Amino acid sequence: MDIDSVGTFTMCHEALKYLKRGGIGRGISSGGTILNISATLHYTASWYQIHVSAAKAAVDSITRSLALEWGTDYDIRVNGIAPGPIEGTTGLSKLVPDEAQNKIEEYLPLYKLGEKRDIAMAALYLTSDAETKIS
């Protein structure tokens, strides 16, 4: 809880001090972007993961609330990425033994584990300027 939920709130709060002043290359009245990374583990129940599920649910709630409040007050975009199982990560190796990884893919929407690059590309997209996306 301390690392995920309290840490996320603390970092967002510290970023606010800078972003509400405009940030690099931004006008006084426009903010910036905050991107929080959560997980999907808490969307359903998982064995022995109550601490992770509670912490990630808190991160999602913080993200939604800050998007509402800071988007309105300071023109700061607050988004979140909630990836499912990502291959080659410590989290996956702790939750799913190697012999079960092929079986878990049958239950995933695309029938495969995510890749670290998937998260990186989503982060780049969500943090790029709207003008760049339109051009």
Side-chain angles (χ1 to χ4, degrees):
M1 291 297 290
D2 279 343
I3 293 169
D4 288 348
S5 56
V6 176
T8 297
F9 177 78
T10 302
M11 291 304 297
C12 289
H13 189 263
E14 289 301 311
L16 176 65
K17 296 174 186 176
Y18 175 77
L19 292 174
K20 71 180 182 180
R21 285 186 269 141
I24 294 175
R26 299 184 187 278
I28 269 304
S29 63
S30 66
T33 301
I34 293 174
L35 180 62
N36 294 326
I37 300 180
S38 181
T40 58
L41 190 64
H42 60 287
Y43 297 163
T44 60
S46 295
W47 287 100
Y48 311 114
Q49 297 300 310
I50 191 169
H51 59 296
V52 178
S53 295
K56 295 305 184 181
V59 170
D60 286 356
S61 180
I62 290 166
T63 301
R64 287 189 303 270
S65 294
L66 294 182
L68 174 68
E69 295 173 18
W70 294 358
T72 302
D73 294 346
Y74 306 111
D75 193 31
I76 295 172
R77 289 186 300 134
V78 183
N79 285 306
I81 299 174
I86 302 297
E87 69 180 344
T89 61
T90 304
L92 183 65
S93 64
K94 286 182 177 181
L95 290 173
V96 182
D98 290 338
E99 58 273 6
Q101 284 193 15
N102 290 336
K103 186 73 173 163
I104 194 173
E105 292 177 1
E106 295 175 20
Y107 300 98
L108 299 174
L110 297 177
Y111 302 107
K112 68 181 190 103
L113 296 170
E115 299 175 7
K116 295 173 189 174
R117 186 177 194 286
D118 298 331
I119 300 170
M121 293 297 105
L124 286 172
Y125 178 78
L126 289 171
T127 58
S128 64
D129 290 333
E131 295 82 32
T132 305
K133 292 178 194 172
I134 295 171
S135 305

